[in-house]
Amino acid sequence: LKFGKLVAEDGRTLASTKAKGLTKISVIDENGEEMATIDHKWNGVVKSLLTSADKYLLLFASDLDPAKKASVLAISIAFDFVTD
């Protein structure tokens, strides 16, 4: 994962991200199609102030194959680490 992109070993961009507002990120494939949306959900005041716990909603495109779902999940996990 480099600069909002999932890059293959040969340098090809497999997926990229695009902000859709303050809390939503769109994951775009190499053809420009949206594969998924990552939405950072509100935890409430206490959890947000006293813990580092985060909640995300991950919505996949209905026709997404399992390999691409795995890539999107990897992007989501990396996104959580980067934003903490």
Side-chain angles (χ1 to χ4, degrees):
L1 190 65
K2 293 182 180 180
F3 305 109
K5 294 182 180 182
L6 184 63
V7 180
E9 288 182 16
D10 62 4
R12 286 182 303 122
T13 298
L14 303 174
S16 59
T17 58
K18 180 180 177 185
K20 292 178 77 173
L22 293 175
T23 62
K24 288 187 182 183
I25 302 290
S26 180
V27 182
I28 310 295
D29 70 7
E30 62 274 6
N31 300 319
E33 299 291 323
E34 185 175 77
M35 295 191 297
T37 302
I38 305 168
D39 189 1
H40 188 203
K41 293 302 198 181
W42 174 249
N43 275 338
V45 174
V46 175
K47 275 192 178 178
S48 293
L49 293 176
L50 300 177
T51 72
S52 62
D54 289 322
K55 289 194 303 188
Y56 295 94
L57 174 65
L58 180 58
L59 298 173
F60 293 108
S62 60
D63 58 345
L64 198 61
D65 67 74
K68 287 191 175 185
K69 283 182 180 179
S71 295
V72 170
L73 185 58
I75 290 170
S76 301
I77 292 168
F79 177 75
D80 182 49
F81 283 116
V82 170
T83 58
D84 275 349

